[in-house]
């Protein structure tokens, strides 16, 4: 009983000491990247990319570095560090990466899949796993065509959540939930002025979802391939937009698309 009380006390301290901030240094990225790799090592999408579990960590590390180089170093995305009190010191225990808001038909901050694909080659993903690289390109082309491109043209101020993870050893200590709400506040503070119009939804799969967007002038989306992650997102206020199935000649995968309205706040 005493051990349980101590454990609960430690969890409460962590929960109340959670803070989020924009990560700006390469040292911050090194920590967050390694947390992403350890958290996503058994994630369904990445298991599909690289079936060899011995190759997967190296592939994921190079994949994350390529995304960081293209997105964060070029100002296209915001890297957020999650910190909490661990043994009396503030420690990075998680992070997230959001492509900055799309506000017109150019999509998320003029993000080009060709630039990302070139970065994957540069960082040696094909050398690590030819199959992994081919599956990555096939899937991301499909996701951009079926999900990202249509959503980016709705004239909503929409952040795109690429990665979000908490160190597995702290994932059951309410750190994730606290960080989730603080991240929303940070996104609001970093948001540009919202618009008042919405484009017509012409893509058939989104027509029935029109009402989900009408009052979401500032929001973020998340795409997930894992049932536990979906439950976490929904428990923290996201709404399900759609379930889509990705299929190739070898396998199929359920893809969940969710949206969350950001709280009202001053825009910058």
């Amino acid at each position: 009983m005493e051990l349980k009380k101590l454990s609960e006390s430690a969890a409460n301290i962590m929960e109340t000491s959670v803070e989020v901030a924009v990560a700006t240094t390469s040292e911050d990225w090194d920590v967050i990247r390694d947390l992403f790799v350890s958290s996503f090592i058994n994630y369904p999408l990445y298991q599909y990319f690289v079936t060899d579990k011995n190759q997967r960590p190296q592939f994921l590390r190079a994949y994350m570095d390529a995304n960081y180089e293209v997105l964060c170093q070029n100002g296209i995305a915001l890297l957020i560090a999650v910190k909490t009190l661990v043994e009396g010191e503030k420690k990075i225990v998680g992070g997230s990466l959001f492509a900055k808001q799309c506000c017109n038909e150019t999509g998320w901050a003029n993000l080009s899949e060709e630039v990302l694909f070139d970065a994957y080659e540069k960082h040696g993903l094909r050398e690590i796993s030819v199959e992994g690289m081919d599956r990555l390109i096939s899937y991301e082309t499909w996701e951009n065509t079926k999900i990202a491109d249509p959503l980016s043209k709705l004239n909503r101020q929409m952040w795109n959540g690429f990665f979000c993870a908490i160190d597995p050893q702290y994932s059951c200590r309410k750190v994730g939930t606290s960080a989730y709400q603080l991240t929303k506040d940070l996104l609001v503070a970093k948001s540009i002025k919202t618009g008042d119009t919405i484009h017509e939804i012409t893509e058939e799969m989104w027509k029935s979802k029109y009402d989900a967007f009408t009052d979401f002038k500032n929001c973020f989306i998340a795409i997930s391939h894992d049932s536990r992650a979906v439950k976490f997102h929904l428990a923290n206020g996201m709404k399900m937009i759609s379930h889509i199935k990705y299929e190739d000649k070898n396998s199929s995968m359920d893809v969940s698309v969710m949206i969350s309205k950001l709280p009202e706040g001053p825009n910058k």
Side-chain angles (χ1 to χ4, degrees), residues 188-207:
V188 170
K190 297 296 182 180
S191 292
I192 58 178
K193 186 177 180 180
T194 57
D196 294 321
T197 60
I198 184 167
H199 289 184
E200 179 184 0
I201 297 177
T202 56
E203 290 75 12
E204 188 64 34
M205 63 176 288
W206 298 113
K207 282 184 178 180

Side-chain angles (χ1 to χ4, degrees), residues 40-56:
F40 289 129
I41 199 68
N42 293 314
Y43 187 73
L45 179 63
Y46 304 134
Q47 286 182 317
Y48 161 74
F49 286 167
V50 183
T51 55
D52 186 338
K53 64 181 182 181
N54 294 317
Q55 291 181 329
R56 200 176 302 138

Side-chain angles (χ1 to χ4, degrees), residues 199-253:
H199 289 184
E200 179 184 0
I201 297 177
T202 56
E203 290 75 12
E204 188 64 34
M205 63 176 288
W206 298 113
K207 282 184 178 180
S208 64
K209 309 298 180 183
Y210 183 88
D211 289 343
F213 297 97
T214 54
D215 67 339
F216 280 47
K217 294 180 181 178
N218 192 12
C219 56
F220 71 91
I221 68 160
I223 300 170
S224 184
H225 316 79
D226 178 75
S227 59
R228 288 182 61 191
V230 168
K231 289 179 181 178
F232 174 77
H233 286 302
L234 295 179
N236 282 281
M238 297 206 80
K239 293 184 177 181
M240 183 68 67
I241 301 174
S242 186
H243 290 291
I244 312 170
K245 188 172 288 293
Y246 171 74
E247 296 180 296
D248 67 10
K249 62 182 180 181
N250 300 305
S251 60
S252 65
M253 187 185 323

Side-chain angles (χ1 to χ4, degrees), residues 32-124:
I32 295 171
R33 177 203 58 212
D34 290 346
L35 288 173
F36 283 163
V37 171
S38 62
S39 297
F40 289 129
I41 199 68
N42 293 314
Y43 187 73
L45 179 63
Y46 304 134
Q47 286 182 317
Y48 161 74
F49 286 167
V50 183
T51 55
D52 186 338
K53 64 181 182 181
N54 294 317
Q55 291 181 329
R56 200 176 302 138
Q58 184 183 5
F59 188 91
L60 275 179
R61 192 171 291 107
Y63 171 65
M64 297 296 176
D65 278 337
N67 273 276
Y68 175 74
E69 178 182 287
V70 171
L71 299 171
C72 296
Q73 293 185 347
N74 290 313
I76 295 173
L78 197 67
L79 180 66
I80 298 174
V82 178
K83 298 181 180 181
T84 192
L85 202 60
V86 178
E87 296 180 353
E89 295 184 5
K90 285 288 185 179
K91 176 183 177 183
I92 295 178
V93 296
S96 54
L97 191 153
F98 286 87
K100 292 182 178 180
Q101 296 158 293
C102 61
C103 55
N104 54 47
E105 293 189 2
T106 61
W108 272 282
N110 299 311
L111 176 61
S112 165
E113 66 179 23
E114 288 79 13
V115 174
L116 268 175
F117 294 167
D118 287 345
Y120 296 157
E121 297 284 0
K122 172 186 173 182
H123 283 264

Side-chain angles (χ1 to χ4, degrees), residues 131-150:
E131 179 185 68
M133 180 66 170
D134 289 343
R135 290 187 172 191
L136 166 60
I137 298 297
S138 177
Y139 171 79
E140 290 199 347
T141 300
W142 173 88
E143 183 184 278
N144 287 334
T145 301
K146 294 293 186 180
I147 302 174
D149 288 349

